Each structure stands twice: as C-alpha cells, then as structure tokens.
Amino acid sequence: MSDAGFRHTLLTYADDAELAETAAPFLARGVDDGEHVLAAVSPSHEDVLRNALGPNAAGVTFIDNRDQYARPEWTLATYDGVLRRLAADGARRIRVYGELADPYDTPQECDAWIAYEAILNAAFAHHPASLLCGYDKRAAPERVVTAMQRTHPVLAQDGGRPCRHFEDPAEVVRSLRPQPRAVPPMHPGPVDAGPRGLRVWLTRAMEDAGLGREAAEDMLLAAGEVLGNAYRFGASVPGIRVGSEGATFVLEVSADAPWSDDPLAGYLPPRSGASSGAGLWIARQLTSHLELSQGSAGGLVVRLWA
C-alpha cells in the first residue's frame, strides 16, 4: 500500500481472542515498518493487546479511550491535531487502533458516533494514516455494529476486503442528522450595536441565565467565529436572539448568507494554509451542539447551544 492516503477499516469481534488475533498483528506491522503506532483502548483491552504483541508492545503508544472518545467533535479535532503533529515531526505513516468508550446510553449518542465514523473518511482523506476501529459485539448494540458497515470502506476480516455496505459519508451524516431541538422563549439582541456592543449584551444575557464562566467564554468565542464568517463573506446579520430555560442556553444568529445543505459543514478540519473554513469548525468545538438551517427568507440560521 502507498504511504499516501487514509485507510479506514472496521473490526467487529466477539471475544478477546478475536480482538488479539486481528488488532495485535495490525499494530505489530506498524511497529515493524517504522510507523508511529497508537492504540486508544480500555485498560482491560490494553492488557489483551500487550500480551498478544509481546516485545512489539514497546513500540505502541497506548491511550485510555475514556480520555480520547469524550465527544465526537472533540475527538475529531484531537485526532487531527495528533496526525498533523506527527506528520510535521517526520512520521512517514501513522497507524491507530481505536475503540469507543461505550457511548451507547441513548439512540442520539449512538447516531452521533456513527456519524463521526462517516465523517472521518472525508476529514482525514489527506492524512497518511491507517485507522482500525474495533467494535466489541458483547458491548455495542447490534444496530451500531451493523451501521458501522456504512461508515468503513474496508472490513478487517478476510485480509481486508472492501465493504459492500459502505456509503458516501455526507449521505450517512445527512440520514443521521437529528431534528432541530425545541428552543426556549427567545429574546432579540441589538444587531446594530457593533461587535463590542454585541459582546456586552451577550455577556449580560449569559450572566442572567446563570451560565458558568467557562461555557460563557466558549460561547463568546463561538459567536465571534460565526459572526466573523458572516461578515467575511459580505453577509449582513439581520437577527440575533438568545433563549434560556433551566440549564439550557442557546444563541441564534440569522445571516443573509447563501444556504447550502451540506451535512459536513463545520465537521472537516481546515487544511493547512486555508484562508477560510475554520469558523464553523471552531464553533462546533466550543459548543455542546450546533445547528444549521435555512431561514424563512432563504438565508442561513445558526444555533449555538451551550
């Protein structure tokens, strides 16, 4: 296989022996070839893989998957940063074995991580990396295991055969996109107050809602990115509203920007040297949820949830 490009492979397994049988040789090949090798797994599966790897375990950097797989947007950014740094440090190719940390509490969580796996194919297409994703059929719901065949172009079984159920990443994300959340009562903001005035108004609104300091600072930064995007592309911002209820806080920005129903918007890391594209990506990192929709007048509506 060429050193260029991203290879995304699915492993589903029924027991620790099957895990070791496939994942350990995958990692060992990377060690033998002089690649930078990572494994993000649970402590118990780290023991399984270390035992199976033997001396090659010394060439693998193990990461606790509870730290690595906290939230899809954060995980995307973290992996992108790691891959960029390793490539800049001279790594010819990076090899990763990763397992989610059992984020299966709700159907919404399951859908978010299925979408994450689809996004990886587009987000990391340019990285010289091989990623093997493991799903333990003893822990993962059957529908998640089945859905992962839509998101991985290669199956680990039978020596790495193409997956006939693989789908276009954008279509997978589109099919899993949640319905817009119900908003609390909303209150308009002073759209003509200028950047400083809007910042003062938004800060006061968040204080009144009881939003914590860290979340408020992140929201201010995210709002700045969204507004900066709009102004950068010559759009006006005819409407800004906020709403809160209990622990919920949402900021809505309406912009006279062209609406594009791109399900991957804000999910793809900006490429090095790119002059645009970072605003929505950063805003997704800083908020718990970001929604894009078409406004009544055909423009763009962005909702940022703290």
Side-chain angles (χ1 to χ4, degrees), residues 25-111:
F26 168 81
L27 296 169
R29 283 194 298 273
V31 174
D32 291 341
D33 290 346
E35 299 177 4
H36 198 104
V37 185
L38 307 171
V41 295
S42 66
S44 62
H45 285 178
E46 177 179 342
D47 291 340
V48 170
L49 292 174
R50 282 189 180 277
N51 289 334
L53 283 163
N56 274 324
V60 179
T61 299
F62 284 92
I63 305 167
D64 191 323
N65 64 349
R66 293 168 295 185
D67 298 328
Q68 183 64 21
Y69 294 96
R71 177 171 168 262
E73 292 86 351
W74 185 89
T75 303
L76 271 166
T78 301
Y79 268 134
D80 180 67
V82 168
L83 294 175
R84 288 175 189 259
R85 175 176 56 79
L86 292 175
D89 288 345
R92 177 178 61 83
R93 190 162 184 85
I94 301 101
R95 184 172 292 242
V96 182
Y97 175 69
E99 294 184 351
L100 301 185
D102 294 343
Y104 309 123
D105 291 340
T106 67
Q108 292 76 20
E109 264 190 320
C110 292
D111 287 350

Side-chain angles (χ1 to χ4, degrees), residues 214-240:
E214 184 176 351
E217 290 176 350
D218 286 346
M219 180 64 78
L220 284 171
L221 291 172
E225 291 293 338
V226 170
L227 291 168
N229 255 13
Y231 297 140
R232 191 176 300 116
F233 292 103
S236 63
V237 179
I240 296 179

